[in-house]
Amino acid sequence: MIRFENVKKKFGDTVVLNNISFNIEPGEFIVLIGPSGCGKTTTLKSINRLITPEEGKIFVNGQDISKANPVKLRRKIGYVIQQIGLFPNMTIEQNIGLVPKRLKYSKSEIKKITKDLMEMVDMSYDEYAHKYPTELSGGQQQRIGVLRALAASPPIVLMDEPFGALDPMTRATLQEEIVRLQKKLKKTIVFVTHDMNEALDLADKIIFMEHGEIVQMATPDEMLANPANDLIRDFMRKSSATSDPSNLTAADFMRTNAISVYKKRSIRECTDLMARQHIDSLLIKNDDDTYVGIITIKDVRKHGKSSGSIGEIIPNENITSDAGENAKDAFDKLYNSGDNYVVVLNNDKTIAGIISKTSMATAMADTLWGDMQ
Amino acid sequence: MDFSLVFEHLYLVLMTVLFSVIVGLPLGVLAYITPSVRKIVLWAVEILQTIPALALLGLIIIALGPGKTTVIVGLVLYSLLPIVHNTYIGLESVDSGIKEAGKGMGLTQFDRLISVEIPLALPMIFTGIRIATVTTIGVAVFATSVGGGGLGAVIYKGIRTQNMELILFGTVALMIMAILFDVLMIWINNRLTKRTSN
């Protein structure tokens, strides 16, 4: 259905696609995934000629697309994007009927298509067809975005992070719907995402890309069982962690940039350090890097002398947690102790990081809404 | 008082706006779709605006002789700037997702312009036309100096004969005209904006 043969693309001096070759069978649900800048979106946009590669050939339905008329080609390939891109000056029905109208379908045909499609996603034709996109919620708008791509029954649909901007609940519903539509309509779908969960849920095959190359093309099961490299394993780990919050450990939530000093450092050095870093406490460690305790600026003041080493001051016994400890238990400690943070220790009692209320809130937001930049 | 001068003035303004739109809109679209001529087009209309209106009319009179045509040509050149600029900016600022969706679905560039981009840029374009109209009402006072007539004649006559009443009549008529057009066009613009804004 879609075949890439040694496709190369550069933007200026950066190689974005480096000799990509793969083959997609009719009816397959393919998910392109990888870190940002890996070339997944470029690959997708090469299929409908929004981007033209410098070298190599792309075949759609056996035809070399570099010889095809781009407008005709695109009308046979559905296209859904993250920004949705419904036309606000047209009603829902006009939006859905856009390509069919250009392909000279009759008015009654367009109405029937619109009605049928809207029924498939449980949206009432009478209620919504004559509304404007801005009158709909984000989730409803992207449903229409998907229907619009399907309207002229193209055999192929390209989707560029279509659910990336939706809230998790809506995203889950739309994911289910797209799987259902795909099964029913037997489309070949190429879907770009950076969310491994989404890839695992939707894909027949996942193409994992990095630096413009395909690292692995495999079914979700194969990829889970045998990830080709550490990056893929890392993507999988992140996704399995976010999929089940009860598996999260203190290590997933901690900040690793907490400042620690050795016992023998002088008090003056330590107060200077606090002033420079705008912090009011330091983690103290032994010469073998094991954790001793915390000293705050108040402790220093109480001590009264600025000579001598920091180790002479008796440190506070702040609560600690093991890196492998369940995240929820660590949070409970944090809340019940009244301390400002929990110190996370590795198995050998060295300092792994700290969990503060801020780092906890950020981490929870990450789990809920994906990577917070 | 001679109300025919008011109508003559209105005629000059409306003809000017009509031709400015006929020339300016395509120029704005051209600047939008062809980056290679964009700078030249935008510069050209900007430079036209820097020429004093009276001097511009004086230059055109050499080519076309005195009369209404000279006035209208001069005023058109003068009011291109807001129309060309606003057309270009209006089209440029249509949401990139909407543009990409249109392209990706297989609409031709012309189709995208007509069906989506111009309708969405319309409030912005219309604002340009409104600014051009209101400015033209004022600048058209110079028409009389090149034999174009209009309310300028009243004001000039008032200045020459030191007739305060005449000057006031001319000025107030111009102000009322400008305010009426402004209010009317803002109202139309609001109606245009209602549907397309998010």
Side-chain angles (χ1 to χ4, degrees):
Chain A
M1 199 76 192
I2 300 171
R3 199 166 77 243
F4 274 55
E5 281 179 5
N6 307 316
V7 174
K8 269 190 193 167
K9 173 74 191 173
K10 278 189 204 165
F11 287 138
D13 284 340
T14 11
V15 179
V16 277
L17 293 183
N18 192 6
N19 246 345
I20 296 274
S21 299
F22 62 86
N23 191 25
I24 297 175
E25 299 295 332
E28 274 187 322
F29 198 128
I30 301 293
V31 174
L32 290 165
I33 191 170
S36 16
C38 69
K40 52 191 193 290
T41 298
T42 310
T43 305
L44 184 89
K45 288 184 178 176
S46 306
I47 300 173
N48 65 357
R49 287 195 60 182
L50 285 176
I51 287 174
T52 312
E54 276 104 25
E55 281 175 47
K57 284 201 156 83
I58 302 168
F59 296 90
V60 169
N61 243 337
Q63 186 195 17
D64 178 355
I65 61 163
S66 66
K67 300 193 172 74
N69 173 324
V71 168
K72 281 188 183 149
L73 175 78
R74 289 172 194 150
R75 286 181 184 176
K76 280 185 275 178
I77 300 177
Y79 190 48
V80 185
I81 55 175
Q82 182 175 9
Q83 305 97 307
I84 303 177
L86 292 181
F87 301 149
N89 56 325
M90 299 182 190
T91 63
I92 299 307
E93 178 158 20
Q94 286 167 335
N95 266 290
I96 295 179
L98 208 84
V99 179
K101 193 178 164 195
R102 265 92 189 146
L103 295 171
K104 309 266 184 284
Y105 287 33
S106 73
K107 265 202 178 128
S108 56
E109 272 176 293
I110 294 178
K111 186 173 174 182
K112 188 176 178 307
I113 290 169
T114 311
K115 227 173 176 167
D116 291 350
L117 284 171
M118 288 180 76
E119 241 161 54
M120 270 192 259
V121 295
D122 289 323
M123 281 177 79
S124 144
Y125 174 87
D126 295 323
E127 193 182 340
Y128 292 109
H130 303 293
K131 285 199 168 157
Y132 286 90
T134 47
E135 297 173 83
L136 271 55
S137 70
Q140 288 173 325
Q141 286 186 25
Q142 191 56 297
R143 274 193 186 91
I144 301 300
V146 173
L147 299 186
R148 181 173 68 171
L150 295 170
S153 25
I156 299 170
V157 180
L158 308 179
M159 306 182 106
D160 190 0
E161 299 199 32
F163 309 142
L166 302 173
D167 66 89
M169 290 285 281
T170 316
R171 190 185 310 162
T173 329
L174 277 158
Q175 284 168 351
E176 275 169 35
E177 273 172 10
I178 196 70
V179 168
R180 207 159 41 79
L181 285 171
Q182 137 88 355
K183 291 236 166 75
K184 194 165 172 185
L185 304 170
K186 313 238 182 317
K187 303 288 180 197
T188 307
I189 296 182
V190 185
F191 189 109
V192 167
T193 184
H194 60 260
D195 176 356
M196 192 48 125
N197 277 318
E198 194 166 58
L200 294 170
D201 284 348
L202 299 177
D204 292 325
K205 269 186 200 148
I206 299 175
I207 298 180
F208 195 101
M209 295 182 69
E210 189 188 3
H211 304 313
E213 285 171 16
I214 295 180
V215 183
Q216 190 173 17
M217 178 169 177
T219 64
D221 289 341
E222 273 172 57
M223 201 170 273
L224 276 169
N226 299 306
N229 67 10
D230 287 343
L231 183 71
I232 302 183
R233 198 170 289 121
D234 194 42
F235 257 71
M236 300 271 197
R237 193 189 63 81
K238 262 191 209 155
S239 80
S240 63
T242 49
S243 67
D244 187 0
S246 61
N247 287 343
L248 291 173
T249 60
D252 289 320
F253 279 32
M254 71 192 179
R255 244 178 48 203
T256 50
N257 58 353
I259 294 170
S260 56
V261 293
Y262 291 110
K263 254 162 85 169
K264 61 179 178 225
R265 291 281 282 275
S266 77
I267 294 177
R268 182 162 296 139
E269 263 182 293
C270 292
T271 50
D272 280 353
L273 183 65
M274 288 192 214
R276 265 205 315 278
Q277 301 285 339
H278 304 289
I279 50 177
D280 63 357
S281 47
L282 287 172
L283 302 175
I284 311 297
K285 55 192 174 185
N286 291 315
D287 291 343
D288 60 354
D289 280 329
T290 54
Y291 169 73
V292 180
I294 279 182
I295 285 177
T296 67
I297 193 79
K298 267 190 199 155
D299 299 327
V300 177
R301 219 171 280 145
K302 228 186 273 169
H303 184 66
K305 289 190 296 186
S306 60
S307 58
S309 72
I310 196 86
E312 292 166 21
I313 304 175
I314 302 154
N316 291 300
E317 281 182 26
N318 199 82
I319 43 162
T320 60
S321 153
D322 291 331
E325 187 173 348
N326 185 292
K328 189 177 172 299
D329 296 340
F331 290 163
D332 283 344
K333 277 188 191 168
L334 177 59
Y335 265 105
N336 296 331
S337 68
D339 285 347
N340 287 327
Y341 34 78
V342 176
V343 180
V344 183
L345 300 181
N346 294 318
N347 286 338
D348 53 3
K349 300 294 166 207
T350 55
I351 301 165
I354 62 170
I355 298 178
S356 66
K357 285 172 184 162
T358 322
S359 70
M360 175 179 138
T362 319
M364 286 180 127
D366 271 356
T367 334
L368 207 50
W369 296 299
D371 265 350
M372 306 286 282
Q373 294 300 325
Chain B
M1 295 296 153
D2 194 354
F3 276 94
S4 69
L5 284 178
V6 175
F7 290 113
E8 195 174 32
H9 201 91
L10 265 180
Y11 169 81
L12 288 176
V13 170
L14 293 179
M15 291 308 276
T16 300
V17 172
L18 180 70
F19 284 107
S20 308
V21 172
I22 291 175
V23 179
L25 203 68
L27 277 178
V29 172
L30 183 73
Y32 167 64
I33 59 177
T34 37
S36 51
V37 300
R38 178 173 305 156
K39 260 202 180 138
I40 301 169
V41 171
L42 297 181
W43 267 26
V45 295
E46 220 161 291
I47 282 168
L48 279 174
Q49 184 100 357
T50 61
I51 306 174
L54 200 55
L56 189 62
L57 290 174
L59 287 173
I60 297 165
I61 209 171
I62 299 171
L64 299 176
K68 290 211 165 46
T69 319
T70 300
V71 176
I72 292 170
V73 170
L75 293 180
V76 165
L77 290 178
Y78 209 63
S79 52
L80 280 178
L81 177 70
I83 296 180
V84 173
H85 257 246
N86 279 35
T87 304
Y88 164 67
I89 291 167
L91 292 170
E92 189 67 44
S93 58
V94 169
D95 179 73
S96 63
I98 290 173
K99 289 178 186 168
E100 197 191 319
K103 196 172 181 193
M105 285 191 315
L107 302 190
T108 60
Q109 184 163 52
F110 183 73
D111 196 356
R112 289 204 299 277
L113 270 170
I114 298 296
S115 320
V116 188
E117 292 168 359
I118 290 180
L120 292 182
L122 208 54
M124 191 75 186
I125 296 172
F126 200 78
T127 301
I129 298 174
R130 178 169 64 85
I131 295 168
T133 309
V134 174
T135 320
T136 305
I137 291 173
V139 179
V141 169
F142 294 120
T144 184
S145 53
V146 289
L151 281 169
V154 181
I155 296 174
Y156 276 108
K157 196 175 164 194
I159 292 171
R160 265 202 319 275
T161 58
Q162 297 200 335
N163 182 340
M164 197 54 154
E165 221 173 291
L166 266 186
I167 299 178
L168 272 180
F169 169 77
T171 313
V172 171
L174 282 174
M175 285 168 67
I176 292 175
M177 203 185 285
I179 291 169
L180 281 181
F181 268 96
D182 203 35
V183 170
L184 176 76
M185 292 177 87
I186 286 175
W187 180 77
I188 297 174
N189 204 356
N190 285 343
R191 303 215 37 165
L192 286 175
T193 322
K194 224 178 234 169
R195 216 172 58 189
T196 50
S197 70
N198 308 355

